[in-house]
Amino acid sequence: MFKFNFDVEVESSEDPEAVKTDIFSKQENAEERESENTKDIEWYQSEKVKPLDNLISTMDFYELNAKEMEVGKTTIKHLVAGFLLEDLKEQSQLVNLDLRKSEEKHSDLISGVYEGGAKIWECTEDLLLYLSEKYEDSFWKDKRVLDLGCGCGLLGVYVMKHGARVDYQDYNKDVLEYITYPNILLNLEDSLSEDEKLKFLDKSTTLYSGDWTNFAELTRDEEKYDVILTSETIYNIENQQKLLDTFAGRLKSEGVVLVAAKSHYFGVGGGLEQFSEKIRLGNVFQSESVWQAEENLKRGILQLKFK
């Protein structure tokens, strides 16, 4: 069972399958996107991100505007992107946030600046469904899990609720501060005091922002992960090797990576078939297609393990 207890219009009035494809070309045509040289982009350096000082004091407000999602027998609470962005626009002191820049440009992708972390994309829904159907809840107990390119952080939140020790990584610090951290808090036990919730954030999870290359270097000496979960992160071909290097550097020898994505991302060239071939040529991982959807645009999930 998998359902959302809110109207799709809250996030977007467009068809959800069309949205993810269109975001890469609504500002410029596909040819202009493909010709963009991302090698010239100065990517954000990776850093650990701490919660904002006013996080706890704003949670009552966020709680009133949160929605619920049912994934199997698990209920996940999360902020609604539209509500959050409207709230941020009203705060003049936050004019330099990347989230605001994306909203002003009406774009979910600004290369090197913003990578679409405010929305819940359909491949994240696919992976949540897959996790609920293929893994017993008990599997996650005490597992070390990385939600890579986490955005709203719902993949990590889901396994956190089943006992996993989860870290979260997203390109944008803004996303982690204003969306991921609140979503984590929304899903902690109601019985915890404010001090206990802050202690959980300090001791039981770590959030990282910035580019994947820098993230792998920053966490080089940290314990590796049993499972890495990632969704909608392979659309940019020029960033795929950084992604694979991060898998190789942060995954335990017997660990598993699950990648949810579309078969093809128009205007940028990446996709599951192309990525699978890159994995094969790299000769580091073995990959297997473990789930597929046949709809307007094909979507699927790849499982990666070390050879």
Side-chain angles (χ1 to χ4, degrees), residues 177-214:
E177 291 176 332
Y178 291 95
I179 301 177
T180 317
Y181 264 122
N183 281 343
I184 294 171
L185 281 188
L186 285 169
N187 289 279
L188 295 181
E189 293 294 334
D190 292 335
S191 60
L192 295 179
S193 67
E194 291 183 357
D195 286 343
E196 288 172 327
K197 290 178 179 180
L198 287 174
K199 183 178 179 180
F200 177 90
L201 295 182
D202 185 51
K203 302 295 185 182
S204 300
T205 188
T206 306
L207 278 63
Y208 301 90
S209 66
D211 184 55
W212 287 324
T213 299
N214 305 130

Side-chain angles (χ1 to χ4, degrees), residues 276-287:
S276 296
E277 178 64 10
K278 186 174 184 67
I279 294 169
R280 187 187 69 80
L281 294 174
N283 203 35
V284 174
F285 295 101
Q286 55 185 350
S287 67

Side-chain angles (χ1 to χ4, degrees), residues 9-285:
E9 291 79 33
V10 171
E11 294 289 332
S12 171
S13 61
E14 300 177 79
D15 176 75
E17 286 296 338
V19 171
K20 186 63 180 179
T21 302
D22 186 53
I23 65 172
F24 302 105
S25 56
K26 65 166 67 174
Q27 299 296 320
E28 305 171 80
N29 62 36
E31 291 75 21
E32 288 172 329
R33 282 291 186 191
E34 287 185 305
S35 66
E36 182 177 355
N37 186 359
T38 58
K39 293 179 181 178
D40 294 334
I41 293 172
E42 186 174 343
W43 300 98
Y44 292 162
Q45 295 293 301
S46 187
E47 60 179 301
K48 289 185 179 180
V49 178
K50 295 296 185 181
L52 296 171
D53 291 339
N54 67 345
L55 177 61
I56 291 293
S57 64
T58 58
M59 285 310 297
D60 286 343
F61 179 60
Y62 285 146
E63 184 90 40
L64 290 173
N65 292 280
K67 297 295 182 180
E68 291 188 350
M69 172 193 302
E70 299 295 330
V71 183
K73 298 179 181 179
T74 302
T75 301
I76 296 176
K77 295 180 181 179
H78 66 90
L79 299 180
V80 176
F83 151 74
L84 174 69
L85 294 173
E86 286 300 316
D87 181 58
L88 294 179
K89 283 197 300 184
E90 294 177 1
Q91 302 184 52
S92 58
Q93 75 275 19
L94 302 179
V95 66
N96 291 322
L97 290 183
D98 292 335
L99 281 168
R100 284 190 60 160
K101 294 174 186 177
S102 71
E103 182 69 5
E104 290 164 0
K105 289 180 176 290
H106 304 290
S107 175
D108 292 301
L109 176 66
I110 306 173
S111 293
V113 176
Y114 177 73
E115 297 288 334
K119 293 190 177 182
I120 303 171
W121 299 111
E122 55 268 27
C123 289
T124 298
E125 301 168 13
D126 294 338
L127 188 47
L128 284 169
L129 176 62
Y130 179 81
L131 296 177
S132 71
E133 292 182 343
K134 300 300 181 182
Y135 289 86
E136 295 291 336
D137 294 347
S138 59
F139 170 83
W140 301 106
K141 181 66 174 176
D142 297 326
K143 289 289 193 300
R144 284 271 293 159
V145 178
L146 173 63
D147 188 346
L148 187 64
C150 66
C152 299
L154 300 193
L155 297 172
V157 164
Y158 174 79
V159 299
M160 175 194 78
K161 290 175 74 72
H162 295 296
R165 197 291 193 189
V166 186
D167 291 339
Y168 302 79
Q169 186 279 337
D170 193 82
Y171 183 70
N172 291 102
K173 184 177 181 180
D174 299 352
V175 169
L176 298 172
E177 291 176 332
Y178 291 95
I179 301 177
T180 317
Y181 264 122
N183 281 343
I184 294 171
L185 281 188
L186 285 169
N187 289 279
L188 295 181
E189 293 294 334
D190 292 335
S191 60
L192 295 179
S193 67
E194 291 183 357
D195 286 343
E196 288 172 327
K197 290 178 179 180
L198 287 174
K199 183 178 179 180
F200 177 90
L201 295 182
D202 185 51
K203 302 295 185 182
S204 300
T205 188
T206 306
L207 278 63
Y208 301 90
S209 66
D211 184 55
W212 287 324
T213 299
N214 305 130
F215 166 71
E217 294 172 356
L218 179 65
T219 58
R220 182 184 307 167
D221 298 326
E222 302 292 334
E223 182 184 354
K224 294 184 177 182
Y225 298 99
D226 300 292
V227 182
I228 297 176
L229 304 173
T230 190
S231 171
E232 307 272 22
T233 52
I234 67 170
Y235 52 83
N236 187 332
I237 291 177
E238 293 189 14
N239 283 336
Q240 288 179 357
Q241 190 57 53
K242 292 190 288 187
L243 182 63
L244 288 169
D245 289 344
T246 300
F247 294 164
R250 301 304 306 134
L251 187 68
K252 292 180 179 179
S253 59
E254 300 300 319
V256 174
V257 180
L258 292 171
V259 180
K262 290 189 173 64
S263 178
H264 183 71
Y265 292 94
F266 298 102
V268 286
L272 281 172
E273 296 172 7
Q274 172 271 327
F275 189 60
S276 296
E277 178 64 10
K278 186 174 184 67
I279 294 169
R280 187 187 69 80
L281 294 174
N283 203 35
V284 174
F285 295 101

